[in-house]
C-alpha cells in the first residue's frame, strides 16, 4: 500500500488516512490509495471505514497543478463509486478544512463527523469553475437546493458546527478526532444511512421560481463573472433532472468553465498570491526581526487603519500623535469603526474589548518610540515633515529597529537619508481603508537590508496583509500605473465622453467602481493639489474643482449625490465639459466602449512594462496581484498584465502606437519591452515563468 493513504484496522472498523500533508490534495496517488484502501477494507470484511487526514486538515481538494494535464485514473468518481458501493458504512472525519473535492469526498460518504471549528466549503467558484465531483448534486439532496446554492455560489466556507445545524455533518466530535470517529462509526454499524445520491426528501417539491429568486439575489454581487452562474445552473439540475443527469450537467459546466479565460485568470491570481511572497534574491537565512510592539506615528486616516490591523491580529500597538486632541480623535475613530462591526454582528463584544485593550495612544514621541520593535510612520505627505520625523525616530528608537514609512509618493531613499540607519528604513505602503485592504506594497530603498525587508514582509503577513515587494519610485507600482490612466480619462471627457460613459465601461469590465466615481469618493481636491504642486493642468478636472465640486464630501463632483450617497448624473457636469471642449475647440464625437476600455487599460499596461524594465516590480505577477488586491480590479480578469497577454502583445503594441499618434500622449508609445515581446511572439506569462525557473 502507498504511503499516500495509510490503512489501519481497529477490529471491524478500518481507518484510511490521507497522507499528503500539509493539505492532502487529491493527487493521483491519493485517489489510487483511497480506491485500493476501500477495496482492501471490503476484502478484509470491514463493517465500517473512517476516512481521516494527516496534518493541518482533512483535505483541501483537487491538486490544481494537475489541471489541464491528461487525466490519470482512477478519477474521483471512481473512488466515490467504491465508497458508495461499500457493504458497510464509510464515515469522513473532518478537522481543519474539507474544501472542494475534499468536501465532495466527504459528501459521497455515508456520514460525516467533524471537530466543531473545522471549515467546510466548495470554493470552486472562486477559481472560476463549478464543483466537478458531484458536490452540486449531493449537497442539495442533503440540505435543499436554496441552502446549497448559497454555499456553492458564494464559495465561502462555513464552520462544521453550522454544517451540523444545516444537516450535512452528522456529529460533532470533542476530544481526539480519530478515536471519536472510530467509536462513532462502531456505534452506527448496522444502522441504515441513505446515500445522498439516493435521497429525494430535500429536493422534492422545490419550487423553481423560488429557487430562481434566491439565485437572482446571489448573482447581484458577482457581476460579469461566469462561474457563479454556472454553479447556480448546476444546483438547479439537482431538482429538475435525475441524479446521473445532474452529474453530467455538472461535468459539462465544469469542463467549459475550467477551459475558459476567467478560470485561467483566477488560477493565475491564486498561484500568484503565493508566488509574490517568494522574493527573488532574498537569502534563505534573511531573518525578520521579532515584533512585540508596533508604534504608529500619526493617528489620521491611515495611521488609525494600520493600528487597527495590528490590534485585529493580536499585536499590541501604540499610536503617537502631536496633540492630545488629535490622539483622542484618532482613537475614537478606531473605536467607532469596531463598534459598527459589533453592531453588524461580525465582531463579538469580547473580541472588541480585546482589540481595544491592545490599542493605546500617547503624545510622548520619544518615550513611546523607545519601546517600539517596529515603527510605521503615517504623518502628512510632505518630505520636510517626514525627514524631521525620521531624524527624531532614528534618535529615539533602539538600535536595530526597522523604521517604515507609509508614504504613497515620496522617495524612501530621501527619507532614509535623514537617519543614521538607512539599511533599516523601508516603505510599507498600505491602502485605504488600511484595516480592510489586503494589499501592502513594501518598498525597498537602495540601502534597505534583507532583514529589514524580511521584517516588513513577515509583519505584513502577520497582520493579514498580502505584502508585495516593489522598488522605490514615484507612486511605486499601483499609483504610478493608475496615474498614466488619468490623462486619458481627461482626454476622453474632452473628446466626447461623459463621466457615466467611462465608469459604465470600467464597471462592466468588473471594476468595483469606475475612475470618476472613485475620484468623487477620494476627493477631487487631492488630485487638484497634486496638479498644482507639479505644475500640470487638466482643463476638465480643473473646471469641475473650480466649481467647488470636490466629490462626495461636498455632495457633488463628477456626479451629484443624494442623502443616501446614491450617485446621480448631473446635467451641470455635462455643461461644464461641453463648455471646456468648446473653448478648446475640440470637436466632440461618439466614442465606442471598446475604445474607452483600451484607452484606459493600455496606458497602464505600457507603464507596467516600463516598471518591469526598470526592475521596480520583479515579475508581471507582482503587478497583477497589486491590482487585484489594492485597486478593486476584478480577480476574474487576472490583472492588467494578464489582460495584455489575452489581447496578444502584437495587438497591444499596434494599438498603443496608434493611440500614441492619435492622442498625442507620448506615454502611450510602446515601451522597449513590449516591442521586444511583440516581435518575439512572447507573453508576460512566459516572461514570469522564465523568471521563476531562473
Ligand atoms: P491624515 O492627515 O489623515 O493623518 C496624518 C496624521 O499625522 C494627523 O492626524 C497628524 O496630526 C499626524 N501627524 C503629523 N505630524 C506628526 C508628528 N510629527 N507626530 C505625530 N503625528 C503627526 O493623513 P493620511 O491620509 O492618514 O496619510 C498619512 C500618510 O499615508 C501620508 O504619507 C499619505 O501619503 C499616506 N497614504 C495615504 C493614503 C490615503 O488614502 N489617505 C493611502 C496610502 C498612503
Amino acid at each position: 500500500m502507498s504511503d499516500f493513504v495509510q490503512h489501519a484496522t481497529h477490529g471491524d472498523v478500518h481507518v484510511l488516512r490521507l497522507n499528503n500533508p500539509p493539505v492532502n490534495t487529491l493527487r493521483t496517488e491519493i485517489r489510487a490509495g483511497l480506491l485500493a484502501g476501500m477495496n482492501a477494507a471490503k476484502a478484509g470484511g470491514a463493517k465500517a471505514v473512517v476516512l481521516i487526514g494527516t496534518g493541518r486538515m482533512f483535505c483541501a481538494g483537487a491538486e490544481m497543478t494537475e489541471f489541464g494535464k491528461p487525466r490519470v485514473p482512477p478519477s474521483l468518481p471512481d473512488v466515490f463509486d467504491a465508497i458508495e458501493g461499500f457493504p458497510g458504512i464509510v464515515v469522513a472525519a473532518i478537522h481543519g478544512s474539507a474544501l472542494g473535492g475534499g468536501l465532495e469526498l466527504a459528501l459521497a460518504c455515508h456520514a460525516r463527523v467533524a471537530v466543531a471549528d473545522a471549515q467546510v466549503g466548495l470554493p470552486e467558484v472562486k477559481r472560476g469553475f463549478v464543483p466537478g465531483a458531484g458536490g452540486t448534486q449531493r449537497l442539495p439532496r442533503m440540505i435543499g437546493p436554496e441552502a446549497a446554492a448559497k454555499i456553492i455560489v458564494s464559495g465561502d466556507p462555513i464552520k462544521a458546527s453550522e454544517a451540523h445545524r444545516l444537516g450535512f455533518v452528522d456529529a460533532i466530535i470533542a476530544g481526539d478526532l480519530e478515536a471519536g470517529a472510530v467509536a462513532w462509526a462502531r456505534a452506527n454499524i448496522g444502522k441504515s444511512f441513505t446515500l445522498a445520491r439516493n435521497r429525494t426528501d430535500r429536493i422534492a417539491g422545490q419550487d423553481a421560481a423560488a429557487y430562481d429568486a434566491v439565485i437572482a439575489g446571489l448573482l447581484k454581487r458577482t457581476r460579469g463573472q461566469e462561474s457563479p452562474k454556472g454553479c447556480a445552473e448546476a444546483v438547479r439540475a439537482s431538482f429538475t433532472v435525475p441524479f446521473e443527469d445532474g452529474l453530467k450537467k455538472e461535468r459539462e459546466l465544469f469542463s467549459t468553465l475550467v477551459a475558459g479565460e476567467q478560470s485561467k485568470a483566477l488560477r493565475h491570481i491564486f498561484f500568484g498570491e503565493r508566488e509574490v511572497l517568494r522574493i527573488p534574491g532574498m537569502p534563505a537565512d534573511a531573518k525578520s526581526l521579532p515584533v512585540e510592539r508596533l508604534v504608529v506615528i500619526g493617528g489620521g486616516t491611515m495611521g488609525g487603519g494600520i493600528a487597527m490591523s495590528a490590534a485585529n491580529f493580536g499585536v499590541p500597538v501604540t499610536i503617537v500623535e502631536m496633540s492630545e486632541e488629535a490622539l483622542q480623535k484618532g482613537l475614537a475613530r478606531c473605536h467607532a469603526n469596531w463598534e459598527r462591526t459589533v453592531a453588524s454582528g461580525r465582531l463579538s463584544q469580547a473580541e472588541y474589548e480585546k482589540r481595544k485593550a491592545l490599542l493605546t495612544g500617547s503624545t510622548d514621541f520619544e518615550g513611546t518610540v523607545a519601546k517600539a520593535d517596529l515603527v510605521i510612520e503615517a504623518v502628512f505627505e510632505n518630505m520636510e515633515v517626514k525627514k524631521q520625523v525620521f531624524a527624531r525616530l532614528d534618535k529615539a528608537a533602539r538600535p536595530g529597529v526597522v523604521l517604515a514609512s507609509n508614504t504613497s509618493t515620496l522617495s524612501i531613499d530621501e527619507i532614509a537619508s535623514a537617519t543614521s540607519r538607512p539599511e533599516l528604513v523601508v516603505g510599507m505602503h498600505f491602502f485605504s481603508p488600511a484595516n480592510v485592504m489586503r494589499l501592502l506594497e513594501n518598498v525597498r530603498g537602495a540601502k534597505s537590508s534583507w532583514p529589514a525587508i524580511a521584517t516588513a514582509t513577515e509583519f505584513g503577513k502577520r497582520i493579514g496583509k498580502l505584502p508585495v515587494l516593489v522598488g522605490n519610485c514615484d507612486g511605486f507600482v499601483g499609483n504610478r500605473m493608475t496615474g498614466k490612466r488619468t490623462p486619458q480619462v481627461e482626454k476622453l471627457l474632452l473628446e466626447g465622453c461623459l463621466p457615466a460613459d467611462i465608469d459604465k465601461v470600467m464597471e462592466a469590465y468588473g471594476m468595483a467602481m469606475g475612475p470618476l466615481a472613485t475620484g468623487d469618493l477620494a476627493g477631487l481636491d487631492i488630485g487638484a493639489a497634486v496638479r498644482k504642486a507639479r505644475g500640470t493642468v487638466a482643463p476638465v478636472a480643473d473646471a469641475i474643482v473650480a466649481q467647488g465640486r470636490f466629490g462626495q464630501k461636498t455632495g457633488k463632483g463628477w456626479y451629484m449625490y443624494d442623502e443616501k450617497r446614491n450617485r446621480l448624473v448631473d446635467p451641470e457636469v455635462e455643461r461644464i465639459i461641453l463648455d471646456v471642449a468648446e473653448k478648446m475647440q475640440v470637436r466632440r464625437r461618439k466614442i465606442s466602449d471598446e475604445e474607452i476600455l483600451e484607452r484606459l487599460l493600455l496606458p497602464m499596461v505600457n507603464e507596467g512594462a516600463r516598471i518591469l524594465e526598470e526592475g521596480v516590480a520583479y515579475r508581471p505577477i507582482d503587478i497583477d496581484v497589486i491590482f487585484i488586491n489594492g485597486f478593486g480590479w476584478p480577480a476574474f480578469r487576472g490583472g492588467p498584465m494578464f489582460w495584455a497577454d489575452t489581447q496578444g502583445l502584437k495587438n497591444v503594441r499596434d494599438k498603443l502606437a496608434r493611440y500614441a499618434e492619435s492622442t498625442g500622449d507620448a506615454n502611450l508609445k510602446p515601451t522597449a519591452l513590449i516591442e521586444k515581446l511583440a516581435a518575439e511572439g512572447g507573453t508576460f506569462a512566459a516572461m514570469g515563468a522564465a523568471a521563476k525557473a531562473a
Side-chain angles (χ1 to χ4, degrees):
M1 166 131 307
S2 82
D3 281 349
F4 284 99
V5 175
Q6 297 164 338
H7 194 155
T9 55
H10 303 263
D12 45 14
V13 180
H14 289 209
V15 174
L16 298 181
R17 183 177 277 280
L18 283 68
N19 185 36
N20 181 27
V23 300
N24 298 318
T25 51
L26 295 163
R27 53 190 277 177
T28 308
E29 293 86 343
I30 290 266
R31 299 194 303 272
L34 280 170
L35 185 58
M38 285 309 303
N39 289 335
K42 187 172 166 185
K47 297 213 168 76
V49 174
V50 169
L51 306 184
I52 196 166
T54 297
R56 285 211 319 259
M57 59 178 71
F58 177 68
C59 175
E63 176 58 55
M64 274 205 284
T65 55
E66 289 182 0
F67 280 25
K69 296 185 186 152
R71 296 224 272 147
V72 183
S75 69
L76 215 42
D78 295 339
V79 175
F80 295 0
D81 286 346
I83 291 172
E84 291 178 329
F86 181 71
I89 58 169
V90 183
V91 180
I94 301 167
H95 78 290
S97 307
L99 300 175
L103 180 59
E104 291 179 297
L105 169 64
L107 295 177
C109 294
H110 298 80
R112 290 139 296 281
V113 299
V115 298
D117 65 354
Q119 301 261 334
V120 295
L122 294 166
E124 286 84 348
V125 69
K126 298 186 181 185
R127 316 278 173 261
F129 42 92
V130 302
T136 66
Q137 305 306 302
R138 288 189 178 88
L139 191 58
R141 281 177 166 72
M142 294 178 174
I143 64 172
E146 291 172 20
K150 281 181 191 151
I151 292 173
I152 296 171
V153 172
S154 78
D156 294 333
I158 61 172
K159 284 237 176 80
S161 49
E162 170 70 3
H164 181 46
R165 194 186 63 74
L166 285 168
F168 67 103
V169 163
D170 298 81
I172 296 294
I173 303 279
D176 182 71
L177 178 63
E178 181 170 354
V182 167
W184 192 91
R186 177 160 291 124
N188 283 283
I189 288 172
K191 296 209 179 120
S192 100
F193 287 85
T194 309
L195 289 165
R197 65 184 301 140
N198 298 328
R199 281 178 66 174
T200 54
D201 52 313
R202 299 305 299 269
I203 52 170
Q206 171 66 45
D207 177 40
Y211 176 80
D212 292 340
V214 168
I215 292 305
L218 293 175
L219 295 183
K220 262 198 206 127
R221 272 165 281 151
T222 62
R223 195 181 37 200
Q225 202 177 330
E226 292 159 4
S227 57
K229 279 187 248 156
C231 287
E233 196 182 333
V235 173
R236 200 174 198 284
S238 72
F239 64 90
T240 54
V241 299
F243 183 77
E244 289 299 336
D245 294 343
L247 285 185
K248 238 184 254 150
K249 176 86 198 164
E250 178 194 85
R251 179 49 53 185
E252 276 165 29
L253 284 161
F254 174 85
S255 304
T256 310
L257 287 169
V258 88
E261 212 60 71
Q262 292 196 358
S263 178
K264 281 186 206 146
L266 286 161
R267 281 176 283 147
H268 165 73
I269 292 302
F270 178 78
F271 288 115
E273 289 182 355
R274 283 146 188 79
E275 175 83 4
V276 296
L277 297 172
R278 285 190 283 273
I279 297 173
M282 174 122 114
D285 60 354
K287 273 219 174 61
S288 69
L289 309 165
V291 179
E292 308 260 319
R293 170 163 300 277
L294 172 69
V295 169
V296 176
I297 310 295
T301 311
M302 294 305 288
I306 295 166
M308 285 176 73
S309 297
N312 289 349
F313 284 83
V315 180
V317 50
T318 308
I319 290 178
V320 175
E321 258 294 351
M322 290 196 290
S323 69
E324 194 57 36
E325 193 196 340
L327 177 62
Q328 290 313 325
K329 227 170 100 189
L331 290 175
R333 240 195 332 257
C334 298
H335 297 162
N337 192 314
W338 276 322
E339 277 156 20
R340 279 197 299 277
T341 320
V342 171
S344 75
R346 284 174 292 134
L347 181 69
S348 70
Q349 185 68 30
E351 178 58 29
Y352 167 42
E353 299 296 340
K354 223 167 78 193
R355 293 179 185 187
K356 203 168 150 185
L358 286 169
L359 172 62
T360 51
S362 174
T363 51
D364 172 11
F365 189 106
E366 273 70 25
T368 309
V369 168
K371 294 192 207 107
D373 301 307
L374 171 67
V375 179
I376 301 177
E377 164 277 315
V379 304
F380 306 128
E381 185 77 340
N382 175 299
M383 184 55 92
E384 282 322 302
V385 176
K386 301 255 188 212
K387 279 167 106 169
Q388 277 166 22
V389 168
F390 270 75
R392 237 173 123 185
L393 285 175
D394 187 35
K395 291 205 182 70
R398 294 194 317 274
V401 165
V402 172
L403 309 176
S405 173
N406 180 49
T407 177
S408 26
T409 53
L410 302 174
S411 165
I412 293 300
D413 292 337
E414 194 175 341
I415 293 174
S417 73
T419 73
S420 66
R421 58 177 102 189
E423 73 286 359
L424 291 175
V425 176
V426 293
M428 288 180 79
H429 182 207
F430 292 80
F431 288 73
S432 183
N435 57 315
V436 176
M437 297 297 289
R438 192 161 167 243
L439 177 64
L440 173 60
E441 269 185 343
N442 279 335
V443 186
R444 179 183 187 178
K447 294 187 179 158
S448 306
S449 66
W450 285 116
I453 292 164
T455 303
T457 307
E458 287 310 311
F459 187 73
K461 278 165 41 185
R462 187 167 153 209
I463 61 169
K465 303 300 174 196
L466 182 59
V468 182
L469 185 65
V470 302
N472 183 31
C473 67
D474 187 6
F476 312 121
V477 170
N479 287 335
R480 174 171 159 184
M481 282 172 64
T482 310
K484 294 295 184 264
R485 186 181 69 183
T486 313
Q488 288 299 323
V489 172
E490 173 77 21
K491 282 179 199 287
L492 284 167
L493 290 170
L494 262 183
E495 290 170 29
C497 292
L498 292 176
D501 301 329
I502 296 175
D503 284 346
K504 186 193 73 191
V505 168
M506 296 314 277
E507 287 163 14
Y509 182 76
M511 301 289 180
M513 215 186 237
L516 296 147
T518 306
D520 274 357
L521 184 63
L524 303 183
D525 49 327
I526 297 178
V530 172
R531 285 195 295 279
K532 197 166 166 208
R534 295 186 178 184
T536 57
V537 289
V540 179
D542 290 341
I544 294 285
V545 172
Q547 300 296 314
R549 309 182 68 108
F550 294 170
Q552 285 198 21
K553 59 184 164 192
T554 55
K556 4 185 221 182
W558 292 112
Y559 298 91
M560 55 185 179
Y561 295 86
D562 63 15
E563 333 62 68
K564 285 190 185 142
R565 298 212 168 182
N566 288 315
R567 187 209 297 183
L568 306 169
V569 168
D570 187 347
E572 176 68 11
V573 171
E574 178 167 7
R575 199 193 54 73
I576 296 172
I577 293 173
L578 293 181
D579 207 40
V580 176
E582 195 185 314
K583 279 204 189 100
M584 295 179 69
Q585 296 181 327
V586 179
R587 272 258 296 284
R588 287 171 65 85
R589 65 186 168 91
K590 168 96 188 96
I591 299 178
S592 72
D593 288 357
E594 187 190 359
E595 180 175 341
I596 294 173
L597 187 72
E598 288 175 355
R599 284 178 61 183
L600 295 186
L601 299 194
L602 288 170
M604 297 174 63
V605 168
N606 208 35
E607 194 64 13
R610 204 169 285 132
I611 279 170
L612 288 168
E613 283 168 11
E614 293 169 12
V616 164
Y618 287 104
R619 304 149 290 206
I621 186 63
D622 294 287
I623 296 176
D624 285 340
V625 167
I626 283 172
F627 276 87
I628 302 299
N629 288 281
F631 290 84
W633 195 290
F636 66 86
R637 300 285 188 194
M641 307 321 272
F642 182 90
W643 175 80
D645 276 351
T646 66
Q647 305 300 297
L649 294 187
K650 270 202 189 80
N651 225 337
V652 166
R653 175 200 56 198
D654 295 346
K655 286 191 168 156
L656 275 168
R658 219 174 328 119
Y659 286 128
E661 173 96 26
S662 67
T663 69
D665 185 344
N667 271 316
L668 293 189
K669 279 208 359 226
T671 61
L673 177 60
I674 287 183
E675 289 285 5
K676 175 170 164 282
L677 291 174
E680 288 169 352
T683 59
F684 288 117
M687 184 184 154
K692 190 173 173 182

